[in-house]
Amino acid sequence: MTDERSSTSPDEQRSDPHDSSDGETADADATSDENDVNENDADGNDNADEFTIADFHDASQQEGRPVLTAAAVSRALELSHEEANERLEALADRGALERLAVSTDPVVWYPTELEDLTDRERVVVFPKQREIVVDRPDQFTRAQLSQFAHLADANGEQGYRYVVRPADIWGTPHDSFEDLARTMRQALGQRSDALEEWVHSQWDRAHQFRLTTHEEGYTVLEAQSPEIMGNVARQKLDEEHVHAPISETEDWVREGSEAAIKRILYEAGYPVQDHRELESGEELPIELEVRLRDYQQTWVDRFAEAGEGVFVGPPGSGKTVAAMGAMAHVDGETLVLVPSRDLAQQWADAILEYTSLEAHQIGQYHGGRKEVRPVTIATYQIAGMDRHRSLFDDREWGLVIFDECQHVPSDVYRRSTHLQSKHRLGLSASPIREDDRQTEIFTLVGPPIGTDWEALFEAGFVAEPELEIRYVPWGDDEQANAYGSADGREKYRIAAENRGKIDEVRYLLSAHPDAKAIVFVDYLDQGRELSEALEVPFLSGETPHHERRRLLEEFRRNERDLLLISRVGDEGIDLPTADLAIVASGLGGSRRQGTQRAGRTMRPAGGALVYVLATRGTREEDFARKQLQHLGRKGMTIREQAVERGED
């Protein structure tokens, strides 16, 4: 394996070596022009049912072969045999089809450019399921699809499957439905009336309510019509949320209830547009001293337009740098909320490195320090305590940043979201919660703003790690027997701590002798055993902060090439990136945990590997497959390998 010691992550970027905006714009314009021509041809032709080569491709796909008879076209497209013949003849006259007489049928038809069936991008729309399947989509198509659809599965052989959900339409960046419809037609290469009708209904839902600021300074909830106000808002909300009606379509909002109103109406299927005049606090000029990549600039632009949002992207995609771009846009005093004091220190260091701010302008507020400055980084725990309310109230924050914002919906963290009058920005690699409350993240903080993971992989901004699940046999019969007689969670713990994994970790490290490696464990006893076997320190929640910092810095400076770390590394500290990650245990926890651990190898340089160890024949096998499925849907390739006892 190549040892990429000098590679830098997107969070450490100084310039953008992948500046291909001119080429991308040209491609986009060309595609746009081509689709505009197609739409004009369709609109200007008296025969709305004109047969095209795309129709032939649809029929060939349905029949499952590239060469068709008129009877097959008739059957696939529900035409009479005479109509099918006429349309095939017309298409052949235009040079798009060729005829071939054979003994079993008077004529068969095939495209003039037969390879077109295998080389061309293919888009199939299933309006009833609101799904789109794309075979070999180019980057422009994926960029267009990501504006109104969610990538559910990415499989090189079976294509890309997108699902259009209500939330995707509610959060689309378009200013009008006409703009959204144009994007859909460019992405699909066709017009799907049934899908557009449903999308239009969701667009209307997303524009029925909005919050505005009255000229006297209080907040008003506005509805598009008296009917929607009476039948929805006034049925769902009560005196805890609004004072009284102002008109048939307006209610006077109680101060501090904005978040609750947005959550309640969102759950009712009516997201609220937030058009209030948000406070920017005391002016704080901030210059960003690093160039944003195109996709990061897009994130910042969308945040600037809405005043709120959640940057969603894989680890290593530069969400922290993009957040500093948002700080520079607001130019106001900023409160950053993080899960731990380790991350607070890392944020302070990054702000010093990548912005024009100086050390005396940056403070930390947590168990170790209590500094409130123009930019203050505080932990969620401290921010949620009543006795520290002054942290919120003593300064007019212009921007509040929620790092690892998947924490926000939990009861202890949600208290901080009363800051609804400020610009709000969340950051998350994977805003997934196992309690299915992730939609609250977007209602409390803002809509998702992100980029297709696969697009970042292909563009070279983030390296796609190779991920392999390795099924390891038991290290000794004692543990195997204990597993057979155990119940519930104890069963999983025994499989996770399988001593056979020690030999497997040794083997993988020896197989990649030049790699910088991180080994993850979920259990302290297992960590201590591995620490002794590998003769390396074990970094866990019991490790003092100063010792943690020393070990991490040694790894960053290439003075140490192996870290052994507990689940404290999943969130709460900014781990250095590595060439090799070995997950010895811990995939039974959550999908988010799998994302965080796999993400430690994501950076611009390629060649990274992730190995997930699971004890063969146990529930751990199923856990590993389940928790990594969503990474496969994001475009990562996942392999599986059974390890034979003694083969290594």
Side-chain angles (χ1 to χ4, degrees):
M1 168 175 293
T2 302
D3 188 356
E4 299 289 349
R5 300 298 173 98
S6 61
S7 64
T8 56
S9 72
D11 277 351
E12 298 168 341
Q13 65 200 67
R14 282 294 181 184
S15 62
D16 187 354
H18 302 279
D19 186 3
S20 59
S21 58
D22 292 342
E24 290 177 0
T25 302
D27 290 344
D29 290 344
T31 307
S32 175
D33 292 343
E34 182 181 345
N35 284 324
D36 288 343
V37 169
N38 290 340
E39 289 178 15
N40 291 337
D41 287 347
D43 292 340
N45 197 311
D46 292 336
N47 183 7
D49 295 328
E50 181 182 4
F51 190 70
T52 68
I53 188 63
D55 295 317
F56 185 89
H57 287 316
D58 288 339
S60 74
Q61 183 178 40
Q62 187 168 329
E63 291 295 305
R65 57 181 185 271
V67 179
L68 300 178
T69 64
V73 172
S74 170
R75 179 172 59 251
L77 301 181
E78 298 182 354
L79 302 172
S80 70
H81 194 280
E82 183 180 359
E83 286 175 321
N85 258 322
E86 290 176 357
R87 296 185 184 194
L88 290 167
E89 292 282 357
L91 202 54
D93 290 343
R94 297 202 294 273
L97 289 182
E98 296 288 345
R99 308 173 179 82
L100 178 66
V102 295
S103 59
T104 55
D105 196 283
V107 177
V108 294
W109 306 83
Y110 60 93
T112 302
E113 298 294 338
L114 185 59
E115 64 270 18
D116 190 37
L117 280 175
T118 56
D119 293 342
R120 70 193 287 268
E121 176 182 275
R122 294 282 294 144
V123 180
V124 181
V125 182
F126 300 92
K128 291 183 179 179
Q129 296 95 328
R130 297 191 291 277
E131 292 187 0
I132 303 161
V133 176
V134 192
D135 187 27
R136 287 177 289 278
D138 61 28
Q139 192 167 343
F140 173 77
T141 298
R142 289 206 310 272
Q144 297 294 85
L145 285 166
S146 69
Q147 296 184 49
F148 64 90
H150 166 71
L151 179 61
D153 289 290
N155 183 307
E157 296 180 354
Q158 299 177 8
Y160 293 64
R161 183 173 67 90
Y162 288 83
V163 178
V164 187
R165 307 166 301 181
D168 300 317
I169 307 306
W170 299 347
T172 186
H174 296 83
D175 294 326
S176 67
F177 174 73
E178 288 69 27
D179 290 341
L180 173 56
R182 187 176 302 111
T183 295
M184 291 177 61
R185 293 167 195 169
Q186 288 176 350
L188 304 180
Q190 59 185 286
R191 178 170 180 161
S192 173
D193 290 335
L195 182 60
E196 283 190 20
E197 182 179 351
W198 180 85
V199 168
H200 200 174
S201 71
Q202 295 303 317
W203 174 273
D204 284 344
R205 276 179 170 264
H207 293 81
Q208 292 299 318
F209 293 102
R210 67 175 189 163
L211 291 171
T212 62
T213 302
H214 192 273
E215 60 183 11
E216 295 184 9
Y218 58 85
T219 300
V220 175
L221 176 66
E222 295 182 357
Q224 282 291 330
S225 67
E227 292 75 21
I228 200 73
M229 176 63 86
N231 294 333
V232 179
R234 288 174 182 163
Q235 296 295 322
K236 298 289 184 181
L237 306 176
D238 54 33
E239 62 273 8
E240 293 182 10
H241 308 111
V242 294
H243 287 289
I246 300 173
S247 69
E248 289 185 327
T249 58
E250 298 172 307
D251 277 0
W252 177 9
V253 173
R254 287 189 181 276
E255 185 176 359
S257 67
E258 294 89 349
I261 289 173
K262 289 198 285 187
R263 186 172 63 253
I264 290 169
L265 293 181
Y266 188 100
E267 290 171 352
Y270 293 90
V272 178
Q273 300 287 309
D274 197 337
H275 292 172
R276 289 172 295 156
E277 298 173 7
L278 300 176
E279 298 173 8
S280 294
E282 292 295 322
E283 185 177 354
L284 180 66
I286 300 174
E287 295 293 330
L288 191 61
E289 297 181 345
V290 60
R291 181 182 177 187
L292 294 177
R293 298 193 174 101
D294 290 343
Y295 69 87
Q296 291 171 319
Q297 188 61 58
T298 299
W299 293 355
V300 173
D301 291 344
R302 289 182 61 183
F303 162 79
E305 183 178 351
E308 61 180 9
V310 177
F311 290 168
V312 179
S317 58
K319 296 183 293 296
T320 303
V321 171
M324 294 177 203
M327 291 170 61
H329 165 76
V330 173
D331 266 350
E333 297 190 341
T334 300
L335 174 64
V336 183
L337 298 176
V338 298
S340 73
R341 67 171 69 178
D342 291 299
L343 269 182
Q345 182 61 52
Q346 288 153 16
W347 261 92
D349 294 342
I351 292 170
L352 274 176
E353 184 174 358
Y354 299 122
T355 75
S356 58
L357 295 176
E358 299 179 1
H360 68 86
Q361 297 173 293
I362 304 167
Q364 296 182 47
Y365 198 101
H366 48 66
R369 299 162 66 173
K370 299 291 189 298
E371 305 159 345
V372 179
R373 295 179 182 168
V375 173
T376 298
I377 305 136
T379 59
Y380 283 110
Q381 290 89 341
I382 289 288
M385 297 179 183
D386 283 332
R387 65 178 180 274
H388 297 291
R389 277 293 179 186
S390 60
L391 177 65
F392 296 133
D393 300 334
D394 289 354
R395 265 192 136 89
E396 289 296 325
W397 303 111
L399 171 65
V400 182
I401 298 176
F402 300 87
D403 196 9
E404 303 287 0
C405 69
Q406 60 271 10
H407 289 300
V408 174
S410 64
D411 295 336
V412 69
Y413 299 129
R414 271 183 61 182
R415 301 178 63 182
S416 59
T417 60
H418 80 279
L419 294 164
Q420 289 289 303
S421 61
K422 325 290 183 184
H423 295 86
R424 297 174 307 284
L425 175 65
L427 308 180
S428 182
S430 184
I432 298 169
R433 290 182 58 87
E434 304 309 309
D435 55 11
D436 292 325
R437 294 169 63 189
Q438 59 262 30
T439 56
E440 293 189 20
I441 298 171
F442 305 132
T443 60
L444 296 172
V445 181
I449 299 171
T451 302
D452 181 352
W453 284 38
E454 179 98 350
L456 296 181
F457 292 153
E458 284 198 3
F461 291 124
V462 179
E464 176 188 358
E466 299 177 36
L467 197 154
E468 180 173 295
I469 306 174
R470 294 178 69 83
Y471 302 112
V472 181
W474 288 104
D476 57 57
D477 293 337
E478 180 185 351
Q479 281 188 311
N481 294 334
Y483 178 86
S485 59
D487 295 315
R489 190 67 186 173
E490 181 66 10
K491 218 173 180 68
Y492 175 77
R493 185 191 63 77
I494 295 171
E497 294 184 328
N498 171 15
R499 282 187 284 274
K501 293 181 180 181
I502 296 177
D503 289 337
E504 185 63 18
V505 171
R506 278 202 188 102
Y507 164 74
L508 292 172
L509 291 174
S510 66
H512 307 285
D514 297 324
K516 289 184 67 175
I518 301 177
V519 179
F520 293 96
V521 298
D522 232 27
Y523 295 94
L524 294 179
D525 287 345
Q526 183 187 30
R528 295 183 187 110
E529 281 192 57
L530 273 168
S531 176
E532 182 177 349
L534 302 174
E535 297 182 343
V536 295
F538 176 38
L539 197 159
S540 71
E542 297 177 346
T543 308
H545 285 283
H546 70 274
E547 179 70 4
R548 282 193 211 174
R549 193 166 293 118
R550 181 184 67 81
L551 292 171
L552 293 170
E553 282 304 314
E554 288 177 356
F555 193 85
R556 287 191 180 93
R557 294 195 300 262
N558 298 321
E559 296 168 5
R560 178 179 295 278
D561 58 10
L562 176 61
L563 282 179
L564 174 60
I565 192 164
S566 73
R567 65 169 60 191
V568 72
D570 296 332
E571 295 169 354
I573 62 175
D574 184 16
L575 282 179
T577 54
D579 306 308
L580 174 67
I582 302 174
V583 182
S585 61
L587 267 295
S590 68
R591 290 170 288 169
R592 186 174 72 247
Q593 190 177 51
T595 301
Q596 294 287 349
R597 292 182 171 183
R600 298 310 180 185
T601 62
M602 292 183 185
R603 67 211 192 293
L609 296 167
V610 180
Y611 291 107
V612 175
L613 308 186
T615 300
R616 187 192 307 163
T618 71
R619 293 175 57 195
E620 198 177 32
E621 278 196 11
D622 298 329
F623 276 124
R625 289 192 187 99
K626 177 183 177 183
Q627 307 301 17
L628 295 175
Q629 277 178 352
H630 78 285
L631 291 178
R633 289 194 291 268
K634 289 177 180 294
M636 288 179 59
T637 302
I638 299 175
R639 300 190 304 268
E640 298 180 63
Q641 177 69 44
V643 177
E644 298 299 330
R645 186 189 297 272
E647 73 170 16
D648 298 331

